[in-house]
Amino acid sequence: MFPGAFTYSRPATVSDAVALLVDNPDAKILAGGHSLVPAMKLRLAMPSALVDLRDITELQGVEASDDSVTIRAMATYNDVRDHEGAAAALPILVEAINVVGDAQVRDHGTLVGSLVHNDPAADLTAVALALGGDVHATGPNGDRSISLDDFFVDLWTTTLEPDEVVTHVTLNRPSQHSRMAYRKFAHPASGYAIVGVAAVLGMDGDTVSQARVALTGAASTATRLSSVETAITGQALTEESVEAAIRDVTAGLTINGDQFAPEAYRAHLVEVLTKRALLGTQA
Amino acid sequence: MTDTEQMQKTLVSMTVNGVERSAEVESRTLLVHYLRDHLGLTGTHVGCDTSQCGACVVNVDGRTTKACTFFAVQVQGATVETIEGLAHDGVYHPVQEGFWEEHGLQCGYCTPGMIMSSVSLLKRNPNPTDAEIRHELEGNICRCTGYENIVRSVRYAAEKVRAGS
């Protein structure tokens, strides 16, 4: 299986990478390549040029500080999972990464690449939305930050411009009194999320003081479940309060349907997994 | 893109099983075809060709890698280990021995990838549970064995490696 022909370059700096993207609007960035290369082999994607970021040292690595975790563009899933500071600060990352793809995807695929690709069934899009934070990009007009709340637009679409390179994402580190969980119902063959729900709760004793809950797999893009967030805030986390909070979970959402999981079935899974994510949150 | 550009080839070099190798290939040449067609290392198999079956798994700079999901140009300068590099002086690697002793294969087509994934798994986790073995081998599909003997083979290798260290 051969992809279409392309020219290949390995810039040494972010500004060189941006220049290559400006020169050729048809060029695509190559990071881990575990979404792009399979698409190119099927000729679903036929970029005339690939700009490989692997030689840009400033795009490597993971850092954890008191208030955030920074994940640079070329950090693989396993780089994030194996980073002690990041894993301790945001255990939901470890939980979600362990259910991404397979061992080879986790060893080469990048977390930032997953956010930028915005596959509607990706896992880390929902987790990043539930944590909140900023995407940092460099383009021909300089650097800018985009809130994760404004980043995901639609199927495979983000607010990123074609000539911008994401350098890193910063994920918010919730207060000490927080609980988080990711729950996924995976397609048995592909492993992609039919429905996935990520929940990050700030706690004041037994009461939920802050809630960010995000959905993937069920709609055209990862999205926050604001009715659930509002309903659970100020409540104790019990079976009853969660049941009440998920009552209108699918209101206002356009739920996908296909031959594996029709719309009604997916909508039911949204309820089940939102409940499991909320009740499954751990400190 | 013009025909000349399409035919343009790049010299790609890498260390494969401890030996410096190079070949002129197109940028779209996949690592698995570079290994098989240009270096003659046909132990790495092409199964599904869609990044799912894992028959083509090799190690690149210590990372477990589906060679059908990498372009050879991406691996320029890297260190690659294939199934041909595992045995030394006629002595099988413990994972190869495990597959022999525990009957971890039937037709053998998935075996090179299964073994290379298992080698990576044991480097990361020298004492895996059966569940961890199954989880880490999710990217390798076998249509013969039902996986039971593959799990036993990896367990055999893990015990052998631990006993030897």
Side-chain angles (χ1 to χ4, degrees), chain B:
Chain B
M1 188 172 285
T2 67
D3 286 348
T4 342
E5 276 171 330
Q6 280 185 19
M7 295 303 292
Q8 203 169 52
K9 292 191 174 182
T10 321
L11 185 69
V12 176
S13 309
M14 61 190 81
T15 306
V16 183
N17 301 328
V19 181
E20 284 291 329
R21 304 295 297 266
S22 56
E24 284 208 334
V25 294
E26 286 183 71
S27 53
R28 63 175 166 170
T29 302
L30 297 168
L31 176 60
V32 68
H33 296 303
Y34 176 92
L35 293 169
R36 290 176 57 84
D37 303 342
H38 295 271
L39 303 189
L41 294 170
T42 53
T44 302
H45 290 171
V46 179
C48 68
D49 219 357
T50 52
S51 312
Q52 297 178 56
C53 79
C56 65
V57 168
V58 299
N59 289 334
V60 175
D61 287 338
R63 290 182 187 262
T64 182
T65 305
K66 288 184 176 173
C68 78
T69 311
F70 262 78
F71 297 115
V73 285
Q74 287 175 274
V75 182
Q76 163 68 35
T79 298
V80 178
E81 192 180 32
T82 71
I83 188 76
E84 288 93 342
L86 286 188
H88 288 292
D89 304 322
V91 179
Y92 282 143
H93 184 282
V95 176
Q96 290 175 304
E97 190 183 311
F99 274 69
W100 175 276
E101 292 296 337
E102 297 294 335
H103 196 54
L105 60 136
Q106 287 178 30
C107 87
Y109 200 84
C110 73
T111 312
M114 204 61 88
I115 287 178
M116 294 310 289
S117 287
S118 303
V119 168
S120 290
L121 183 171
L122 292 179
K123 271 187 193 147
R124 187 180 281 281
N125 180 359
N127 190 13
T129 63
D130 284 8
E132 286 167 341
I133 293 170
R134 288 175 185 275
H135 181 62
E136 288 298 310
L137 292 181
E138 248 175 12
N140 294 81
I141 293 173
C142 171
R143 297 285 80 149
C144 300
T145 64
Y147 302 100
E148 288 296 329
N149 285 356
I150 290 174
V151 175
R152 288 192 190 109
S153 304
V154 178
R155 213 160 52 203
Y156 175 102
E159 283 159 18
K160 169 117 187 172
V161 169
R162 284 203 309 279
S165 62

Side-chain angles (χ1 to χ4, degrees), chain A residues 92 125-132 198-200 212-214 224:
Chain A
I92 193 174
T125 49
V127 171
L129 257 188
L131 289 167
V200 177
R212 289 181 66 100
V213 184
R224 283 176 67 184

Side-chain angles (χ1 to χ4, degrees), chain A residues 4 9 22 32 40 46 71 73 75 77 90 93 125 156 212 227 260:
Chain A
S9 45
V22 170
M40 288 176 66
M46 290 185 69
I71 296 162
Y77 290 114
L90 303 176
L93 290 176
T125 49
W156 295 300
R212 289 181 66 100
S227 72
F260 303 115

Side-chain angles (χ1 to χ4, degrees), chain A residues 114-122 125-126 129 151-158 193-196 215-225 252-258 263 266 270:
Chain A
S114 174
L115 303 185
V116 172
H117 184 53
N118 196 19
D119 189 298
T125 49
L129 257 188
F151 188 67
F152 304 113
V153 177
D154 203 348
L155 211 65
W156 295 300
T157 309
T158 67
I194 291 176
V195 175
L215 172 71
T216 188
S220 66
T221 183
T223 183
R224 283 176 67 184
L225 297 172
L253 293 175
T254 305
I255 303 287
N256 299 331
D258 58 31
E263 191 184 324
R266 261 201 176 85
V270 174

Side-chain angles (χ1 to χ4, degrees), chain A residues 188-267:
Chain A
S190 73
Y192 276 101
I194 291 176
V195 175
V197 177
V200 177
L201 307 177
M203 302 299 291
D204 182 2
D206 291 335
T207 306
V208 177
S209 55
Q210 273 185 314
R212 289 181 66 100
V213 184
L215 172 71
T216 188
S220 66
T221 183
T223 183
R224 283 176 67 184
L225 297 172
S226 44
S227 72
V228 176
E229 294 175 354
T230 309
I232 200 67
T233 303
Q235 305 291 318
L237 202 60
T238 64
E239 184 100 11
E240 293 72 34
S241 69
V242 168
E243 287 282 357
I246 63 170
R247 200 169 295 138
D248 297 322
V249 60
T250 54
L253 293 175
T254 305
I255 303 287
N256 299 331
D258 58 31
Q259 71 268 42
F260 303 115
E263 191 184 324
Y265 175 67
R266 261 201 176 85

Side-chain angles (χ1 to χ4, degrees), chain A residues 87-214:
Chain A
L90 303 176
I92 193 174
L93 290 176
V94 178
E95 197 183 357
I97 286 168
N98 278 330
V99 294
V100 169
D102 54 33
Q104 288 74 32
V105 170
R106 293 190 289 271
D107 232 1
H108 289 287
T110 63
L111 187 146
V112 167
S114 174
L115 303 185
V116 172
H117 184 53
N118 196 19
D119 189 298
D123 298 294
L124 272 298
T125 49
V127 171
L129 257 188
L131 289 167
D134 295 292
V135 175
H136 303 270
T138 300
N141 303 316
D143 301 341
R144 70 172 177 134
S145 299
I146 308 155
S147 166
L148 277 161
D149 286 333
D150 304 323
F151 188 67
F152 304 113
V153 177
D154 203 348
L155 211 65
W156 295 300
T157 309
T158 67
T159 49
L160 202 67
E161 296 297 331
D163 53 9
E164 285 181 310
V165 176
V166 173
T167 53
H168 58 291
V169 60
T170 45
L171 299 173
N172 294 337
R173 185 173 178 169
S175 72
Q176 281 186 328
H177 307 288
S178 61
R179 299 162 61 104
M180 51 187 89
Y182 178 63
R183 290 291 181 274
K184 168 186 186 178
F185 190 83
H187 186 282
S190 73
Y192 276 101
I194 291 176
V195 175
V197 177
V200 177
L201 307 177
M203 302 299 291
D204 182 2
D206 291 335
T207 306
V208 177
S209 55
Q210 273 185 314
R212 289 181 66 100
V213 184

